[in-house]
Amino acid sequence: MSTELPASRRTVLRGAALAGAAGAAGVGLTACGGKKGSSAGPTAAADLGAASEVPVGGAKLYRDDKVLVSQPSQGAFKAFSAVCTHQGCVLDSVDGTTASCPCHGSKFNAETGAVVQGPATQPLPAVKVTESGGKLTAGPASS
């Protein structure tokens, strides 16, 4: 005769929560591990679309193309890699001219690429950007 009692609901839920947290932590570590040191941005010309989408005095993140573009003054565009120099995560948001990394909280100035808040210590690398016919192109061969 077995004297083993069935697991309580609380025990089952606690185990599920711990397993889920461990799985999520593993996914987070994978995302943060990224490609350490490969923060140069696009390796080929990337068509970013209308230049008018980048606000004057602000910035726009082109996450899929891994490019951050700012327009400090009308018609003057600057671009930087959107890959965090800390551990290779792609930046995920821009507030005014401050771009943020979701992995460890680094923040960068979108007009200069400079680190505003660590843990990153290196600035974002500049990326060539051109405007022609109202369209922006970034990366190598973007002339």
Side-chain angles (χ1 to χ4, degrees), residues 11-91:
T11 301
V12 171
L13 291 175
R14 186 179 303 147
L18 289 173
V27 169
L29 290 174
T30 300
C32 293
K35 299 173 190 146
K36 205 169 191 180
S38 69
S39 57
T43 56
D47 178 14
L48 303 178
S52 60
E53 292 181 14
V54 180
V56 176
K60 179 171 179 173
L61 178 63
Y62 297 89
R63 198 163 197 271
D64 291 342
D65 295 304
K66 298 179 182 162
V67 178
L68 173 65
V69 179
S70 63
Q71 187 176 190
S73 60
Q74 183 67 44
F77 296 94
K78 293 186 174 186
F80 299 91
S81 168
V83 179
C84 182
T85 57
H86 177 237
Q87 287 201 351
C89 296
V90 178
L91 305 180

